[in-house]
Amino acid sequence: MSDTVLLERKGRVALLTLNRPQALNALNSELLTTLCAHLDTLSEDESVGCVVITGSEKAFAAGADIKEMSDKTYIEMKNADHFGRRFNALKDTKLPMIAAVSGFALGGGCELAMICDFIIASETAKFGQPEIKLGVIPGMGGTQRLTRAVGKAKAMDLVLTGRMMDAQEAERSGLVARVVPSDKLLETALSAAEAIASYSRPTVVTAKEAVNRAFETTLSEGLHYEQRVFYPLFATEDQKEGMAAFTEKRPPDFKHR
Ligand code: CAA
């Protein structure tokens, strides 16, 4: 596997580090293929309970690789569409994913962070969809996911002006779950991932699917969906264990992690 994405295992957590420092982790086809291959393998591996995706201190990822794209024709871009489709299919992975963002998360970099279940940002993080400056628009979900995350006003502002927003603005806007000092970024993301990986896996998957359902349906349908998936959890050993452990004042020992 190419070294454009590095994989480290930390117990039940997998850490994927984007690794094209010379290009600020721009997402070229080699990197995207490697990332998707890692995620495919990790999602089949029952010993992995959560994935953290990170970049370098200077850049999470500065977008799709402009140099690789610049001479492409319409047909070539259409043929390369499997990247867009594979990328968008990541939203259906059962694997919980956290983006740990430091520095630039622009264009496809911001889109990659948004595909993760949530984003933890360092104080230096900068988010944006600057594609308009290149004569294109976001092409890996930016117009849709950013709008759902921050609302129309802020999404239009970012997509039409191409400006960047800093970590504080991103947190205020609802794009980012937490902002932490740079030197605490990885530690915080890994500790959140460890917590998630320690819980009952079927319950984590159900929780993730239920929250994601909120973006796909009406409130009444979503509430109906939540009830349909909430009650069956009472048929699991892990629900019995979780509640017994609470009553007995001990940590739970979930069977299905
Ligand atoms: N693609 C290819 N190379 C990139 C890149 C990108 N998206 N972003 C940065 N690089 C390269 C630069 O070309 C430079 O390489 P050289 O040293 O060989 O010239 C190297 O990374 C370092 O970058 P800079 O010298 O520009 O660093 P800086 O600190 O001065 O500026 C930056 C940082 C503001 C992020 C600037 O690099 C930049 O604006 N990058 C492009 C951001 C962008 O437009 N992203 C959107 C891409 S399109 C897209 O993503 C489409 C989509 O939705 C799918």
Side-chain angles (χ1 to χ4, degrees), residues 104 106 126-128 133 158 161-166 169:
F104 299 110
L106 303 175
K126 286 192 165 52
F127 297 86
K133 296 180 179 173
L158 291 165
T161 67
R163 78 173 175 89
M164 295 184 214
M165 66 175 167
D166 65 20
E169 184 179 358

Side-chain angles (χ1 to χ4, degrees), residues 31-221:
L31 185 151
L32 280 175
T33 305
T34 310
L35 179 65
C36 289
H38 277 308
L39 289 171
D40 285 348
T41 311
L42 293 170
S43 58
E44 296 298 316
D45 184 342
E46 297 210 336
S47 70
V48 178
C50 192
V51 172
V52 173
I53 302 182
T54 196
S56 67
E57 203 177 329
K58 178 155 188 200
F60 177 72
D65 192 307
I66 300 168
K67 293 167 190 167
E68 188 182 68
M69 254 182 329
S70 59
D71 291 331
K72 291 258 192 291
T73 62
Y74 162 69
I75 297 291
E76 285 167 335
M77 286 305 284
K78 226 15 210 163
N79 287 343
D81 187 41
H82 62 276
F83 282 123
R85 278 185 280 117
R86 281 192 78 179
F87 195 79
N88 280 321
L90 292 177
K91 79 171 176 38
D92 296 322
T93 177
K94 292 190 186 311
L95 208 54
M97 297 195 293
I98 301 174
V101 174
S102 183
F104 299 110
L106 303 175
C110 186
E111 290 166 312
L112 173 61
M114 289 191 291
I115 274 194
C116 295
D117 295 311
F118 61 96
I119 302 173
I120 300 181
S122 87
E123 286 161 343
T124 65
K126 286 192 165 52
F127 297 86
Q129 297 289 162
E131 290 88 343
I132 198 93
K133 296 180 179 173
L134 302 167
V136 290
I137 68 167
M140 295 201 291
T143 61
Q144 303 305 301
R145 290 200 178 89
L146 185 66
T147 309
R148 280 166 168 77
V150 305
K152 178 184 166 187
K154 188 75 79 180
M156 281 291 190
D157 177 5
L158 291 165
V159 170
L160 295 184
T161 67
R163 78 173 175 89
M164 295 184 214
M165 66 175 167
D166 65 20
Q168 280 68 28
E169 184 179 358
E171 188 186 27
R172 275 200 311 277
S173 313
L175 180 64
V176 158
R178 316 184 204 173
V179 178
V180 296
S182 296
D183 59 351
K184 295 277 181 289
L185 177 67
L186 212 49
E187 175 186 326
T188 308
L190 289 172
S191 131
E194 270 162 36
I196 293 168
S198 76
Y199 302 136
S200 166
R201 189 182 174 92
T203 309
V204 168
V205 172
T206 304
K208 170 171 162 148
E209 286 175 352
V211 173
N212 279 334
R213 190 53 72 107
F215 294 98
E216 307 285 345
T217 193
T218 61
L219 178 60
S220 49
E221 257 310 305

